[in-house]
Amino acid sequence: QVQLVESGGGLVQAGGSLRLSCAASGSIFSINDMGWYRQAPGKQRELVAGITSGGRTNYAGSVKGRFTISRDNTKNTAYLQMNSLKPEDTAVYYCNARIATSRNGLNDYWGQGTQVTVSS
Protein backbone atom coordinates (compact mmCIF):
# COMPACT_ATOMS: atom_id res chain seq x y z
CA GLN A 1 0.00 0.00 0.00
CA VAL A 2 2.94 2.36 0.61
CA GLN A 3 5.18 3.40 -2.25
CA LEU A 4 8.15 5.74 -2.57
CA VAL A 5 8.97 7.11 -6.00
CA GLU A 6 12.18 9.02 -6.74
CA SER A 7 12.67 11.35 -9.66
CA GLY A 8 15.12 13.96 -10.88
CA GLY A 9 18.24 11.92 -11.54
CA GLY A 10 20.23 12.18 -14.71
CA LEU A 11 23.53 13.07 -16.33
CA VAL A 12 25.22 16.33 -15.39
CA GLN A 13 28.66 17.87 -15.76
CA ALA A 14 30.91 18.47 -12.79
CA GLY A 15 29.93 21.67 -11.04
CA GLY A 16 26.30 21.35 -12.08
CA SER A 17 23.16 20.84 -10.03
CA LEU A 18 20.28 18.41 -9.75
CA ARG A 19 17.25 18.22 -7.51
CA LEU A 20 15.88 14.83 -6.52
CA SER A 21 12.33 14.30 -5.33
CA CYS A 22 10.85 11.46 -3.30
CA ALA A 23 7.08 11.19 -3.08
CA ALA A 24 5.39 8.83 -0.65
CA SER A 25 1.90 7.57 -1.34
CA GLY A 26 -0.53 4.96 -0.11
CA SER A 27 -2.08 4.17 3.25
CA ILE A 28 0.01 6.45 5.45
CA PHE A 29 -0.75 7.20 9.07
CA SER A 30 2.41 9.24 9.63
CA ILE A 31 5.91 9.69 8.27
CA ASN A 32 8.80 9.88 10.69
CA ASP A 33 12.35 10.28 9.38
CA MET A 34 13.18 10.49 5.71
CA GLY A 35 16.57 10.19 4.11
CA TRP A 36 18.61 9.90 0.97
CA TYR A 37 21.15 7.13 0.50
CA ARG A 38 23.46 6.36 -2.37
CA GLN A 39 25.36 3.36 -3.64
CA ALA A 40 28.23 3.54 -6.09
CA PRO A 41 29.65 0.50 -7.90
CA GLY A 42 31.81 -1.56 -5.58
CA LYS A 43 30.75 0.41 -2.50
CA GLN A 44 28.27 -0.06 0.30
CA ARG A 45 25.13 1.99 0.51
CA GLU A 46 25.73 5.12 2.55
CA LEU A 47 23.57 7.76 4.14
CA VAL A 48 23.80 11.05 2.29
CA ALA A 49 21.31 13.17 4.20
CA GLY A 50 18.50 12.69 6.67
CA ILE A 51 15.63 14.81 7.92
CA THR A 52 13.25 14.29 10.82
CA SER A 53 9.55 15.01 10.80
CA GLY A 54 10.34 18.28 12.55
CA GLY A 55 12.91 19.36 9.97
CA ARG A 56 16.14 18.50 11.78
CA THR A 57 18.82 17.54 9.25
CA ASN A 58 22.12 15.71 9.11
CA TYR A 59 24.59 15.17 6.28
CA ALA A 60 27.49 13.01 5.30
CA GLY A 61 30.71 14.96 5.56
CA SER A 62 31.41 14.50 1.87
CA VAL A 63 28.29 16.43 0.85
CA LYS A 64 27.97 18.97 3.65
CA GLY A 65 27.77 22.47 2.24
CA ARG A 66 26.84 21.23 -1.23
CA PHE A 67 23.63 19.24 -0.70
CA THR A 68 20.44 20.31 1.05
CA ILE A 69 17.66 17.99 2.17
CA SER A 70 14.16 19.32 2.73
CA ARG A 71 10.61 18.06 2.96
CA ASP A 72 7.08 19.20 2.33
CA ASN A 73 4.84 17.41 4.79
CA THR A 74 1.70 18.55 3.00
CA LYS A 75 2.87 16.62 -0.06
CA ASN A 76 4.57 13.68 1.69
CA THR A 77 7.63 14.54 -0.33
CA ALA A 78 11.34 14.89 0.40
CA TYR A 79 13.87 16.66 -1.76
CA LEU A 80 17.61 16.62 -2.19
CA GLN A 81 19.12 19.70 -3.79
CA MET A 82 22.59 18.81 -5.07
CA ASN A 83 24.93 21.63 -6.04
CA SER A 84 28.58 21.70 -7.08
CA LEU A 85 28.37 18.09 -8.13
CA LYS A 86 31.54 16.04 -8.40
CA PRO A 87 32.29 12.81 -10.28
CA GLU A 88 32.57 11.14 -6.88
CA ASP A 89 28.85 11.80 -6.39
CA THR A 90 28.01 9.36 -9.18
CA ALA A 91 25.77 6.66 -7.72
CA VAL A 92 22.26 5.31 -7.55
CA TYR A 93 20.37 7.45 -5.07
CA TYR A 94 17.65 5.86 -2.94
CA CYS A 95 14.96 7.48 -0.87
CA ASN A 96 14.14 5.95 2.50
CA ALA A 97 11.25 6.76 4.80
CA ARG A 98 10.10 5.43 8.14
CA ILE A 99 6.33 5.24 7.84
CA ALA A 100 3.50 4.13 10.09
CA THR A 101 0.48 2.65 8.36
CA SER A 102 -1.38 2.46 11.66
CA ARG A 103 -1.05 3.90 15.14
CA ASN A 104 1.13 0.99 16.26
CA GLY A 105 4.50 0.62 14.55
CA LEU A 106 6.89 1.97 11.97
CA ASN A 107 8.42 0.29 8.95
CA ASP A 108 11.19 1.35 6.60
CA TYR A 109 10.34 1.80 2.95
CA TRP A 110 12.68 2.26 0.01
CA GLY A 111 12.27 3.79 -3.39
CA GLN A 112 13.43 2.11 -6.57
CA GLY A 113 16.48 4.35 -6.94
CA THR A 114 17.46 6.99 -9.45
CA GLN A 115 20.79 7.18 -11.26
CA VAL A 116 22.95 10.27 -10.88
CA THR A 117 25.97 10.46 -13.16
CA VAL A 118 28.45 13.33 -12.95
CA SER A 119 30.96 13.64 -15.77
CA SER A 120 34.41 15.23 -15.53
Side-chain angles (χ1 to χ4, degrees):
Q1 292 294 319
V2 175
Q3 186 178 37
L4 300 181
V5 178
E6 302 105 331
S7 61
L11 176 64
V12 66
Q13 293 184 11
S17 298
L18 287 172
R19 190 177 81 149
L20 307 183
S21 298
C22 171
S25 62
S27 183
I28 298 172
F29 180 79
S30 64
I31 303 178
N32 199 272
D33 297 350
M34 302 185 79
W36 288 96
Y37 294 73
R38 68 186 181 188
Q39 188 164 23
K43 294 186 177 181
Q44 289 189 307
R45 187 174 299 186
E46 64 173 343
L47 175 67
V48 177
I51 185 167
T52 69
S53 60
R56 191 182 310 112
T57 60
N58 66 284
Y59 298 91
S62 59
V63 308
K64 193 173 298 183
R66 300 188 297 120
F67 292 9
T68 302
I69 188 171
S70 61
R71 65 191 290 169
D72 185 341
N73 292 330
T74 68
K75 299 179 179 179
N76 290 335
T77 300
Y79 306 93
L80 185 68
Q81 179 67 46
M82 304 185 293
N83 298 327
S84 301
L85 282 161
K86 305 175 180 179
E88 307 93 271
D89 296 318
T90 295
V92 177
Y93 284 70
Y94 297 91
C95 180
N96 172 265
R98 182 161 289 178
I99 297 174
T101 56
S102 71
R103 190 176 295 274
N104 296 324
L106 299 170
N107 294 110
D108 286 333
Y109 295 87
W110 292 90
Q112 82 287 351
T114 185
Q115 177 71 46
V116 172
T117 302
V118 184
S119 62
S120 301

